[in-house]
Amino acid sequence: MSNNRIINASVLKWIAVITMLIDHVGLVFFPEYSIIRWIGRISFPLFAFLICEGYRHTSNIWKYFLRLGIFAIISEIPYDYCLFNRIIYPYSQNIFFVLLLGLLVLYLIDKEYVIKDKDITIYCQIAIVIVACVIAYFAGFSYKYVGVLFIVIMYYIREYFPLFSFAAFIIYLIAYGMVNALFVLLSLPLIYLYNGEQGVSSKKLKWLFYIIYPLQFVVIIIIRDYVIA
């Protein structure tokens, strides 16, 4: 990595978490202020990128799948009740589901050695991405097909930064409009400045970054329903 790349994984995680919290607080308490939601658009590209890095460096992919799956299940009821005022809301699933699906896509399309014919392999990889996008869309995963595509392009073309940035912008522009796409661009320099290091506190705080997601919804529910109700 270049010497001018100064941001490690721990810093990216904290930026992703903080902008995510801003997004959800704005959604629940200040829905009339769109700027708060726009700031929240910075978070998902960082989470998607961290999934790619996690996939590159994990020592046990199955434990990685398991962690994401467990927290997807744990987070679903707080997510549904906080954002939709229902214990079970089947039309929208929390972010862990799309991160888990994106991780699965990377795992499947990396298995090139299973098929000897390279042309068939490429078609299979494209088919896997398309099927995952369809699943994410109809299952109501957060960010839907955008989440899957972000993870795939970040894994395969991040080193080609201009192309990666253009692809990210176009995907968001098509899915969510110009303003959201412009705010997504704010996350890309942070990814560019990533130096490949985990950070001093990364391993120690690994579980904290998982726990924060469902915990934020619980805290927001308590404040909304019992403090300011």
Side-chain angles (χ1 to χ4, degrees), residues 22 25 121 124 147 202:
I22 291 171
V25 168
T121 297
C124 288
S202 181

Side-chain angles (χ1 to χ4, degrees), residues 161-173:
F161 194 73
L163 176 60
F164 158 64
S165 300
F166 178 75
F169 176 78
I170 293 300
I171 291 170
Y172 245 83
L173 178 64

